[in-house]
Structures are given as structure tokens and as C-alpha cells.
Amino acid sequence: MKIEDARVIVTSPGRNFVTLKIVTDEGVTGVGDATLNGRELAVASYLTDHVVPALLGRDPSRIEDTWQYLYKGAYWRRGPVTMTAIAAVDTALWDIKGKVAGLPVYQLLGGRSREGVTVYGHASAPDTESVLAEVARYVDLGYKAVRVQTGVPGLQTTYGVGRGRMFYEPADAAVPSEATWSTERYLAHTPQVFARVRDEFGPDLRLLHDVHHRLTPIEAARLGRDLEPCRLTWMEDPVPAELQEGFRLIRKHTTTPIAVGEVFNTIWDCRQLITEQLIDYIRTTVVHAGGITHLRRIFDLAALHHVRSGSHGATDLSPVCMAAALHLDVSIPNFGLQEYMRHTEETDQVFPHSYRFEDGYLLPSESPGLGVDVDETLAARYPYKPASLPVNRLEDGTMHSW
Ligand code: KDG
Ligand code: MG
């Protein structure tokens, strides 16, 4: 079997997505998500101009070799654009392998380690009163874990607080919009929100919070400490994570578990965090961390160091990524949680899939391969619209993280 064609499909059914579809000379096809929020066209060009020509004629069954060829062969290793492009190829090849074998991909990864994939939803609202109602809605839907985000009094907008209900879309304008941030106001407000939520919903509901990289290590340590009575499942992205040893300081001061990794692209971005046991959950994803092949390598390293998975699953990760993530989630020994922000109806139509939500769990597809596809005719009806993630400035105008 040989790769005969590889198409890069850019579509915007409510938001932008890039998808790679690989076609073999025997007519078997595979899909991979290649969406990098706000930088979609860079990945599309990387694939079209540099990867696709090298794929034509290759044997699609050689997944590991193709991964090594694209990673090492580029000379320029790592980085979000490169790793997202490699991820798309890798995911599509796993899809093809599953279809050829007549098995869902999780069977090729060693089979089930659990019955379902526990997911968390996003309760977000401008203030504490309204976020309580949002948490209740998720509980009623069966969710066993809920991420809680609110606006901060005195700030006009807060990143991570949605405008819609089941999903939010942070990429809004072609040129990044700007918001104002105050660490002081945020640190004073957030523990009060969680005290109310824990009080109202009791000890069993798993609660999570995303800091979106906005603190310094000592500020994050203080937040973690203030949140300890509320027993969070995790505090996510407390600080920008380029400086991995910065997490030692947070660890020294708080037992609130830490999750990090949605912006990581390789095992090297999290090696120190994992091997020094500075985190509890690694949030790397199929699409941004080199596909199923490389993400499994990260999760295996994590398993040796008491770190569980907690993959990113926001709306900018397409149903193709979600389908692939679920095959890994259900098979690995050290699964923790999977983020699940639902997609719009238009997105679900462009990417027909057979994973499903049931009683707080997502269940991977039982179809051969990944169990997801892209409807290219429908996709063509939604042209690309430039959209960037916003930036933050402090109240005095200084540029800040996110
Ligand atoms: O593209 C960026 C979003 O996916 C991200 O900001 C969402 O932080 C996020 C999360 O945890 O879902
Ligand atoms: Mg996050």
C-alpha cells in the first residue's frame, strides 16, 4: 500500500480548523487534525509545501518511521507549527492502520484500560452567583468534574470566561484584541468563588480551575494555598512554563495539584516537570504534541513519575483530535481526566464522528480506525476567517501573559 494523495482542508464552521486527509492507492483514507489556534495557515503551508510532497509514495503502515523521518528530517526540530503538522500525519496514519486492521485504534494501543473516559466541562460566568447556576447545569448533565472560571470584579473581560454556554471561543479578532488584567483583584476573588462552589456542591464533585499562565511562581503558590480547603482536582497553567524549575517554588508551598502542558509540543517541554514530579497532570494533546505516537511516549514517561494525563480539549481542537485523544485516554494506564468543550452543530456536521457522551464519560468509537471523518463538500462552504487569541495588559499598560 502507498500514499497516493494528501489533502489539506481549511474550513471555518464557526471557527477555523485545518485537517489533513491521506488517501492510499487502495482507497483507504485517514484524517488528522492540524489546527493551531490563530496560526492555522502556517501549519497548512508547512503541510502543503513541505510535508505532503515527501509523503507521496510512502508506505502508510510505517507510522514510527514516518514520524522519525518528519521530525529528524526537517533539521528544525520541535515548535508548535512543525509538531502540529507531524501530529496530523501521525493521526491519519493510525486511522488508516485501524481501518486496514478492521479495529478501533484503541485496540491497536493495547485495548481498554477503563470503561469510559471521564471528562470535565466548563462552567464559566461573569460572577459567582451566575457561575453556581452553570455548575449546577453541568452536574445535571451528568458531569463528574467541572472547571470553574468567573469574571474578576473591576475587570471588563477575563480570558477563559465564555460568551456562550457549552463552549467558548477566545480567538475573536484578526488582530489580537487587548484586555486588562490585575493579579491583585484575581487573587482576592478566586478563593471566594471556590469556597461558595464547594459549599454548594459538596465534597464529591471534582473542581478545576485554569489560571491561563497569568501568575508568578510565588503568586501561584499563594493561590494554591488559598484554594487548599476547596480540594481542587487541579490548578492549571499557574505560570508560563518555559522555566520548568519555577514549579519547584509552587510545589514547596502548596498541595493543590498542578496541571500543565496544553502549549507544549514535545516530551522535552515537560521532561523536567515530569521527572522531578513537579506536576500532577500533563495536558499535552494529540494535535499539538506530535500525534498519537509522541503523546503516548509523553504519557509513558509520566506514568513512571506518578503523573496522570489530562489532555486539552477546547473547541479549537477538532472532533478529529478528540476522537484520537479518546483512543489513547481509554487505553493508557495513567489516564486522569479529559477536557471536553463541545463543538457547534456546524462543526459536528463537518466532522461526522461516533464518539459519544454518556453520564459524565466520553466513549470512543468502536468503528475501525478513529471513527471520525471530514465532509469535504460541507467544509468548502465555510471559508477561513482570520482570528487571533487576545492579549492582556496590566492596568498600567504593561504587556502580560494571555
Ligand atoms: O487555543 C487556546 C485555547 O484552547 C485555550 O485557551 C483553552 O486554556 C484553555 C483550556 O484549558 O481549554
Ligand atoms: Mg487551559
Side-chain angles (χ1 to χ4, degrees):
M1 194 182 279
K2 282 190 173 16
I3 296 175
E4 194 175 74
D5 190 17
R7 297 194 284 274
V8 179
I9 300 142
V10 180
T11 181
S12 192
R15 72 145 4 267
N16 293 319
F17 293 108
V18 181
T19 312
L20 179 71
K21 187 160 199 167
I22 295 181
V23 183
T24 70
D25 57 352
E26 294 182 21
V28 186
T29 64
V31 285
D33 185 14
T35 310
L36 183 62
N37 204 358
R39 296 292 181 268
E40 294 87 359
L41 298 186
V43 183
S45 154
Y46 193 100
L47 282 168
T48 308
D49 298 329
H50 307 293
V51 173
V52 168
L55 285 180
L56 302 179
R58 289 183 71 86
D59 176 354
S61 73
R62 296 178 62 160
I63 298 180
E64 180 68 44
D65 183 56
T66 303
W67 194 98
Q68 299 293 337
Y69 171 77
L70 293 174
Y71 182 81
K72 295 175 178 163
Y75 186 80
W76 310 107
R77 298 184 184 193
R78 315 201 281 163
V81 174
T82 301
M83 296 309 292
T84 302
I86 294 177
V89 175
D90 183 81
T91 309
L93 295 185
W94 277 102
D95 193 18
I96 290 171
K97 194 174 277 297
K99 286 177 182 169
V100 170
L103 291 170
V105 166
Y106 76 81
Q107 292 290 11
L108 306 179
L109 299 171
R112 274 178 191 282
S113 286
R114 58 197 50 78
E115 302 313 314
V117 171
T118 311
V119 296
Y120 69 91
H122 283 213
S124 82
D127 52 52
T128 311
E129 285 314 315
S130 41
V131 93
L132 292 173
E134 282 301 293
V135 177
R137 216 158 54 79
Y138 277 94
V139 171
D140 288 348
L141 288 166
Y143 282 78
K144 296 171 176 36
V146 182
R147 185 186 105 160
V148 180
Q149 309 290 134
T150 68
V152 176
L155 299 183
Q156 239 178 0
T157 55
T158 308
Y159 187 85
V161 177
R163 290 175 286 268
R165 294 192 86 186
M166 295 307 281
F167 42 81
Y168 77 86
E169 199 43 81
D172 49 8
V175 173
S177 58
E178 301 205 359
T180 306
W181 175 252
S182 161
T183 296
E184 295 74 18
R185 292 175 199 266
Y186 168 74
L187 286 180
H189 177 66
T190 305
Q192 297 174 29
V193 175
F194 276 90
R196 284 289 307 279
V197 175
R198 184 54 85 202
D199 191 43
E200 190 104 356
F201 292 91
D204 292 341
L205 183 63
R206 294 197 223 169
L207 297 176
L208 303 85
H209 179 65
D210 193 343
V211 184
H212 291 296
H213 319 92
R214 286 176 297 214
L215 301 177
T216 64
I218 200 66
E219 290 163 352
R222 185 174 131 207
L223 178 64
R225 250 196 198 183
D226 289 351
L227 289 171
E228 275 172 26
C230 306
R231 297 277 184 267
L232 261 60
T233 295
W234 79 46
M235 168 171 78
E236 175 179 331
D237 289 342
V239 296
E242 289 95 331
L243 186 71
Q244 297 188 26
E245 59 265 42
F247 283 73
R248 288 189 195 133
L249 188 59
I250 311 177
R251 257 319 200 218
K252 228 184 257 174
H253 294 285
T254 181
T255 57
T256 294
I258 299 170
V260 72
E262 68 182 46
V263 303
F264 295 169
N265 311 118
T266 70
I267 201 163
W268 304 103
D269 298 331
C270 44
R271 186 186 60 85
Q272 187 180 5
L273 290 174
I274 290 173
T275 57
E276 288 191 28
Q277 301 179 41
L278 298 176
I279 58 171
D280 303 280
Y281 295 88
I282 180 69
R283 301 200 65 247
T284 38
T285 60
V286 171
V287 59
H288 299 139
I292 290 173
T293 299
H294 193 65
L295 190 56
R296 187 162 61 153
R297 207 150 272 155
I298 294 175
F299 289 162
D300 279 346
L301 178 69
L304 301 180
H305 297 88
H306 306 288
V307 176
R308 294 196 174 121
S309 73
S311 286
H312 189 199
T315 38
D316 48 298
L317 289 77
S318 89
V320 175
C321 176
M322 181 57 80
L326 296 175
H327 289 284
L328 257 180
D329 290 340
V330 86
S331 63
I332 57 171
N334 55 328
F335 170 75
L337 275 178
Q338 168 69 52
E339 180 179 17
Y340 178 44
M341 221 202 288
R342 292 169 192 237
H343 289 108
T344 62
E345 228 174 273
E346 293 93 324
T347 298
D348 284 340
Q349 283 162 1
V350 169
F351 298 101
H353 54 265
S354 47
Y355 59 78
R356 59 181 212 282
F357 177 83
E358 220 176 87
D359 191 30
Y361 300 98
L362 273 175
L363 308 172
S365 165
E366 292 298 332
S367 311
L370 296 174
V372 65
D373 206 347
V374 55
D375 179 335
E376 292 179 68
T377 313
L378 198 53
R381 288 200 212 145
Y382 298 102
Y384 169 77
K385 290 191 202 112
S388 298
L389 289 164
V391 298
N392 260 328
R393 290 186 187 276
L394 299 179
E395 286 164 299
D396 69 358
T398 307
M399 257 304 293
H400 195 56
S401 242
W402 297 91

